[in-house]
């Protein structure tokens, strides 16, 4: 039996209204005909459109970040309370680009996870090591730290409601890709940390691969035992590539 995969596109800061309208129509159509779980995280300005196009489909949709505060003097930010008006399901939290470019920390990731869960959203918590950390043999220490600090204070039921995404930072937007064995090794390790902490099974934890997943490597990576899907960046921008990944079937 083919395992059910979670395949979630991260549009990042891409697409115009003219481009995204037909794109979302295609996402809805593909999601309704796929055996896998399909999702897309859009720029804030297109959240209303995602609600209109996807709310009656099987596709999940959401955003790429949020503030942990409900309201206040936070110019340029979007609160979890605002997101309720648009049927938001998914919130990416702690993406490597947010950590590197906007100084997000493990503490802020933890706070956002708690708030997202309290609002009924599904946090997609990202984690992963840099090229320096990997070359210095510190990838496991870094992953353990990010996982433990990111889920601090959460319950077993909380983490079962979350999605985790492993991002080898050295493979984001570089064209490089972790081998399927490297991805499996880290994801298995990360699942083990959570499973041991909460006394739950690896099968109760949803963990995606998020480093330059594309049609040419999707089957190889997604067939690994502990990899439950992908958080897809560049490849999701071309609908044919995204569709090819969505229709991946692995045992």
């Amino acid at each position: 039996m083919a395992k059910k995969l979670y395949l979630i596109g991260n549009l990042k800061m891409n697409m115009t209204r003219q481009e995204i309208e037909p794109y979302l129509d295609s996402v809805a159509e593909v999601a309704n005909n796929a055996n896998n779980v399909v999702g897309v995280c859009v720029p804030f300005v297109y959240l209303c459109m995602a609600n209109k196009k996807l709310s009656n489909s099987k596709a999940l949709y959401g955003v790429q970040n949020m503030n942990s505060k409900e309201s206040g003097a936070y110019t340029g930010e979007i609160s979890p309370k605002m997101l309720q008006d648009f049927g938001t399901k998914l919130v990416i939290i702690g993406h490597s680009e947010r950590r590197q470019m906007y100084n997000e920390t493990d503490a802020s990731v933890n706070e956002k996870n708690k708030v997202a869960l309290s609002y009924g959203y599904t946090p997609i918590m990202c984690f992963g090591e840099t090229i320096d950390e990997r070359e210095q043999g510190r990838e496991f220490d870094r992953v353990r730290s990010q996982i433990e600090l990111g889920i601090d204070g959460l319950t077993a039921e909380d983490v079962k409601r979350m999605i985790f995404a492993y991002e080898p930072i050295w493979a984001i937007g570089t064209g490089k890709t972790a081998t399927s064995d490297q991805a499996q090794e880290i994801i298995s390790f990360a699942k083990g940390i959570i499973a041991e902490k909460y006394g739950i099974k690896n099968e109760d934890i949803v963990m995606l691969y998020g480093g330059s997943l594309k049609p040419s490597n999707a089957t190889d990576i997604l067939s690994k035992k502990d990899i439950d899907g992908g958080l897809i960046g560049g490849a999701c921008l071309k609908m044919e590539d995204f569709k090819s990944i969505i229709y991946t079937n692995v045992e």
Side-chain angles (χ1 to χ4, degrees):
M1 177 183 291
K3 68 177 180 179
K4 181 164 287 190
L5 300 167
Y6 290 75
L7 300 166
I8 299 169
N10 175 14
L11 296 185
K12 303 190 179 183
M13 195 176 71
N14 289 294
M15 296 201 184
T16 63
R17 178 171 182 168
Q18 186 177 10
E19 292 168 329
I20 202 169
E21 285 197 77
Y23 177 89
L24 292 175
D25 286 333
S26 296
V27 169
E29 180 182 358
V30 172
N32 287 341
N33 291 291
N35 294 323
N36 294 318
V37 178
V38 178
V40 62
C41 291
V42 302
F44 289 125
V45 292
Y46 298 132
L47 190 53
C48 185
M49 192 181 300
N51 175 250
K52 178 181 177 181
K53 299 278 190 181
L54 302 179
S55 59
N56 292 320
S57 76
K58 290 168 59 180
L60 304 177
Y61 62 91
V63 293
Q64 303 162 24
N65 183 41
M66 69 167 197
N67 197 289
S68 59
K69 304 293 190 296
E70 283 193 348
S71 62
Y74 302 99
T75 300
E77 291 294 298
I78 305 294
S79 82
K81 195 171 185 178
M82 293 173 182
L83 298 178
Q84 288 184 311
D85 292 329
F86 303 98
T88 304
K89 303 294 190 299
L90 307 170
V91 181
I92 298 176
I93 294 176
H95 190 281
S96 60
E97 290 161 1
R98 297 293 311 176
R99 292 177 187 260
Q100 290 182 308
M101 299 177 191
Y102 301 100
N103 301 315
E104 293 202 4
T105 65
D106 292 325
S108 68
V109 166
N110 178 251
E111 184 178 14
K112 289 181 180 183
N113 282 335
K114 291 174 178 175
V115 172
L117 287 162
S118 74
Y119 273 84
Y121 307 139
T122 297
I124 304 174
M125 181 190 138
C126 300
F127 66 94
E129 80 281 7
T130 65
I131 187 62
D132 288 343
E133 288 163 342
R134 175 163 281 272
E135 289 179 345
Q136 294 166 13
R138 295 191 290 118
E139 65 268 31
F140 294 105
D141 289 340
R142 180 61 179 134
V143 165
R144 177 180 290 278
S145 175
Q146 287 177 309
I147 292 289
E148 290 180 342
L149 292 172
I151 64 175
D152 185 49
L154 300 182
T155 67
E157 291 307 308
D158 287 335
V159 297
K160 288 180 183 179
R161 289 171 51 202
M162 296 176 65
I163 295 173
F164 297 84
Y166 168 54
E167 301 181 291
I169 296 171
W170 44 273
I172 306 296
T174 64
K176 297 180 180 179
T177 309
T179 67
S180 56
D181 287 338
Q182 287 173 320
Q184 163 64 23
E185 181 181 41
I186 292 290
I187 286 176
S188 177
F189 173 74
K191 281 191 173 185
I193 294 168
I194 300 169
E196 182 178 3
K197 177 178 176 66
Y198 293 104
I200 59 179
K201 298 178 181 178
N202 279 21
E203 293 76 25
D204 293 326
I205 304 163
V206 176
M207 201 164 286
L208 315 181
Y209 173 74
S212 297
L213 191 69
K214 48 198 172 189
S216 61
N217 60 29
T219 298
D220 182 37
I221 290 173
L222 297 174
S223 64
K224 291 298 183 180
K225 177 184 176 183
D226 289 303
I227 300 177
D228 303 307
L231 180 61
I232 304 152
C236 83
L237 299 177
K238 295 180 179 179
M239 196 61 220
E240 288 306 309
D241 287 348
F242 195 21
K243 186 187 299 185
S244 176
I245 296 171
I246 287 168
Y247 287 143
T248 300
N249 288 309
V250 296
E251 298 298 323

